[in-house]
Amino acid sequence: MLRVQKIPLNDIYVPAARKKTLHPETVRHLAEDIVENGMKTPIQVRHDGKRYVLVEGLHRLEAARWLGETSIDSYLVQARKH
């Protein structure tokens, strides 16, 4: 069973290929929803031995940054490299 962990935003690496899928308008809408309703689903990260690598939740991660958060609820998962 997955446990939610608070991970500092600065400790999460986003692969360049993932960054290309970012839609700023989606981030803004999601940030507004988070303010009203809270974060509904934690992001997913994997640990590669040195850092946390984003697996799922780019828009949630960027919305948290946009809101000035310093950490985010995350699931630590076992995942292959993209």
Side-chain angles (χ1 to χ4, degrees), residues 10-80:
N10 291 336
D11 291 354
I12 300 172
Y13 170 74
V14 180
R18 302 277 310 190
K19 288 180 186 177
K20 292 179 184 177
T21 66
L22 185 67
H23 300 285
E25 190 66 18
T26 302
V27 171
R28 186 180 67 78
H29 287 297
L30 188 53
E32 291 171 358
D33 185 64
I34 291 169
V35 167
E36 291 177 18
N37 304 304
M39 181 78 68
K40 295 175 184 156
T41 306
I43 65 168
Q44 294 180 19
V45 295
R46 66 179 172 82
H47 198 266
D48 71 355
K50 297 177 274 188
R51 61 189 175 188
Y52 295 99
V53 179
L54 182 70
V55 173
E56 188 66 43
L58 176 62
H59 289 92
R60 285 171 278 162
L61 175 69
E62 293 305 320
R65 283 189 211 278
W66 195 77
L67 291 169
E69 299 292 332
T70 58
S71 63
I72 190 167
D73 287 344
S74 309
Y75 288 133
L76 185 59
V77 299
Q78 300 295 321
R80 293 181 301 132

